[in-house]
Each structure stands twice: as structure tokens, then as C-alpha cells.
Amino acid sequence: EVQLVESGGGSVQAGGSLTLSCTASGFYLDAAGATWYRQSPGSECELVSAIHSDYTTYYTESVKGRSTISLDSAKNAVYLQMSSLKPDDTAVYYCAVNQEWPPPTSTVCRDVGYWGQGTQVTVSS
């Protein structure tokens, strides 16, 4: 059984930093890579950052320069380091195994494929 478990979310002040983790079991993340999506109430599920199995990365424009995605094959985990956080970054963050490259920039969270349960990030001003 494939399972993805996110952690690292929390409440921070604007300008703060967080590192989100996504640990997999039942599947090797370096076989396909993974994508971080986020969704806030009333908004679509949007791509934040993605990493391919060849370690190519992608960032949505709003997080470029503030975020770093990485894949640790030894730990079978994907990380998203975020800094200079803004209130607009507030959302539930999900990781998902890549099904295509590049991954879709918007989708239905947790609809198709392997997804984690999500971790809440709240940024206050």
C-alpha cells in the first residue's frame, strides 16, 4: 500500500520560514518524483513546486526565490523549504506522486493518484 505522510506545517508570522516534509512508504519517490500542491478555502488546488525523478524542479511564480524543493532518496522523502512566508501562503499543503511531467498547475486535490493527507500552513500578518 502506498502512503504519503506530510508534516512540518504550523502557524507562523509573516516573514517566517517552514520546512514541509513528505515521507513515502510502499513506493520509491525517486522513481517518479513528487509535487507539492496547496489549497485554501474557496480556491483551486494549485501547484506550488515539483521535482522530477531526474531532480529537475519547477516552482510556481509566486514562490520562486522563496522556496526550495528537494528529494532525499535515502529517506524516501520530499521536502519543501519555504521562507519569507506571506499570508497568501496560508493553505493546506499536499504532496502527490508525479503522474506526468510537467505536472498540472491546477487539479482536484486528492482525486487521482497517490496523495498525502495534507498539512496546514497558516501565516499571520
Side-chain angles (χ1 to χ4, degrees):
E1 180 187 6
V2 176
Q3 284 191 322
L4 302 176
V5 179
E6 300 100 333
S7 61
S11 297
V12 296
Q13 296 277 345
S17 301
L18 284 173
T19 297
L20 306 183
S21 302
C22 172
T23 302
S25 59
F27 183 85
Y28 291 111
L29 286 175
D30 59 7
T35 296
W36 285 97
Y37 286 92
R38 67 185 178 188
Q39 188 168 33
S40 55
S43 298
E44 64 180 7
C45 181
E46 65 169 348
L47 184 153
V48 179
S49 181
I51 187 164
H52 192 272
S53 55
D54 66 4
Y55 295 87
T56 300
T57 59
Y58 172 87
Y59 298 91
T60 194
E61 195 63 35
S62 64
V63 305
K64 275 184 183 177
R66 308 191 287 123
S67 299
T68 302
I69 190 170
S70 59
L71 189 157
D72 187 331
S73 58
K75 295 184 178 180
N76 205 23
V78 172
Y79 304 96
L80 182 66
Q81 297 174 277
M82 299 188 295
S83 61
S84 302
L85 285 163
K86 306 173 183 179
D88 283 349
D89 294 317
T90 296
V92 178
Y93 285 69
Y94 301 93
C95 68
V97 173
N98 290 337
Q99 293 193 299
E100 59 184 304
W101 190 267
T105 55
S106 66
T107 187
V108 178
C109 281
R110 307 189 72 197
D111 183 42
V112 177
Y114 300 118
W115 292 73
Q117 83 289 350
T119 186
Q120 176 72 47
V121 172
T122 302
V123 184
S124 57
S125 57

